[in-house]
């Protein structure tokens, strides 16, 4: 990716309060160019569009002062949620690298208007959207209360999310080796109501990823799999920026898992 990944991840904050200034033509052009092709490692095409909020009558009751929204649709096929999450977070991180604010929203959208704007068909889904704009100097009272409610600035410690060889042994950053920084970027990733559904078991040169499910599926699919895709973007793009090569593979190792935990995918480090 042609932007500083780790720096963008560390700078990223969920922004719902914008200063009201319209998105500049330069920033619109850069984003539109970037979203022409945002790949993901799961072979699922994701179609993006940058929408003028007034022109397309799109909005969110939790967003103030943003005049554009980034949105994407995907065909309902195997792995579509994780592919959408990966590609969408990649686009959001690029926007952050331009100095823009974003927040990935699922439930609090004028969904019918968004789906009309992208001509979403019966076999397609539009799980999320994000405002894109210039962050206000101060958060609104509503946003401040929302962040407190979901404890947005808190994350589970590394050792509670990642494990060594099995779910019985906590993983330390020292033992994580080449995966340590990428897993830390997973740890700080955004997720629906900050549930942090990702779990990972490191075994040699392989990381097995799991979903800790706590939110029921909806009409748009498994929203926590979208969160998993966001985490995979953080992980994979960090590994690439650290000059490592690897592949995502679907190869369940058959480990004993905690309750409500499901295998998703593995990452094999090649070099």
């Amino acid at each position: 990716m042609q932007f500083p990944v780790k720096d963008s991840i560390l700078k990223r904050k969920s922004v719902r309060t914008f200063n009201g200034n319209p998105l500049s033509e330069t920033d619109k052009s850069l984003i539109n160019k970037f979203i022409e092709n945002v790949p993901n490692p799961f072979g699922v095409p994701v179609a993006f569009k940058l929408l003028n909020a007034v022109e397309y009558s799109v909005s969110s009751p939790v967003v103030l002062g943003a005049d554009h929204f980034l949105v994407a649709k995907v065909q309902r096929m195997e792995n579509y949620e994780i592919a959408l999450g990966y590609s969408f977070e990649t686009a959001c991180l690029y926007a952050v690298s331009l100095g823009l604010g974003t927040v990935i929203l699922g439930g609090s959208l004028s969904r019918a208007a968004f789906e009309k704007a992208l001509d979403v068909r019966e076999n397609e889904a539009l799980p999320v959207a994000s405002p894109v704009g210039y962050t206000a100097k101060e958060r609104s009272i509503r946003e401040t209360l929302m962040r407190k409610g979901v404890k947005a600035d808190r994350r589970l410690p590394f050792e509670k999310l990642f494990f060594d060889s099995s779910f019985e042994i906590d993983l330390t950053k020292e033992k994580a080796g080449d995966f340590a920084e990428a897993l830390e970027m997973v740890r700080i990733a955004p997720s629906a109501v900050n549930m942090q559904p990702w779990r990972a078991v490191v075994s040699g040169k392989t990381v097995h990823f799991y979903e800790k499910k706590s939110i029921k599926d909806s009409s748009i699919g498994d929203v926590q799999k979208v969160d998993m895709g966001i985490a995979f973007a953080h992980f994979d793009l960090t590994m690439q920026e650290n000059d490592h090569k690897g592949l995502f593979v679907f190869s369940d190792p058959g480990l004993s898992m905690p309750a409500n935990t499901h295998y998703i995918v593995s990452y094999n480090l090649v070099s």
Side-chain angles (χ1 to χ4, degrees), residues 99-165:
L100 301 170
T102 66
V103 58
I104 298 180
L105 302 173
S108 56
L109 298 172
S110 55
R111 185 164 297 279
F114 279 100
E115 291 179 348
K116 180 179 179 181
L118 259 71
D119 188 26
V120 176
R121 306 297 177 87
E122 186 176 355
N123 66 333
E124 296 175 327
L126 189 155
V128 295
S130 172
V132 180
Y134 308 106
T135 306
K137 291 183 178 180
E138 295 183 1
R139 293 187 178 116
S140 68
I141 294 175
R142 178 190 299 171
E143 180 172 8
T144 300
L145 292 174
M146 286 181 63
R147 291 183 65 84
K148 286 183 178 179
V150 299
K151 300 178 180 178
D153 295 315
R154 298 185 185 181
R155 294 291 190 275
L156 290 171
F158 193 93
E159 294 81 4
K160 297 299 181 183
L161 295 170
F162 310 126
F163 304 89
D164 184 358
S165 302

Side-chain angles (χ1 to χ4, degrees), residues 52-71:
N52 182 294
V54 175
E55 179 182 351
Y56 288 95
S57 299
V58 292
S59 63
S60 168
V62 301
V63 173
L64 296 175
D67 72 330
H68 278 78
F69 281 83
L70 182 66
V71 65

Side-chain angles (χ1 to χ4, degrees), residues 4-57:
V5 172
K6 291 180 289 185
D7 182 68
S8 299
I9 291 173
L10 293 172
K11 287 180 177 177
R12 188 214 65 81
K13 293 284 185 183
S14 295
V15 177
R16 296 173 179 84
T17 312
F18 298 82
N19 67 11
N21 293 335
L23 201 60
S24 74
E25 292 301 320
T26 297
D27 286 335
K28 283 192 286 186
S29 177
L30 288 170
I31 292 171
N32 279 320
K33 181 65 175 177
F34 187 84
I35 63 177
E36 287 178 0
N37 179 29
V38 186
N40 65 74
F42 306 108
V44 180
V46 179
F48 282 87
K49 194 168 185 177
L50 183 64
L51 303 178
N52 182 294
V54 175
E55 179 182 351
Y56 288 95
S57 299

Side-chain angles (χ1 to χ4, degrees), residues 50 100-101 141 212 218 223 265:
L50 183 64
L100 301 170
I141 294 175
K212 178 71 171 179
S218 70
V223 67
V265 72

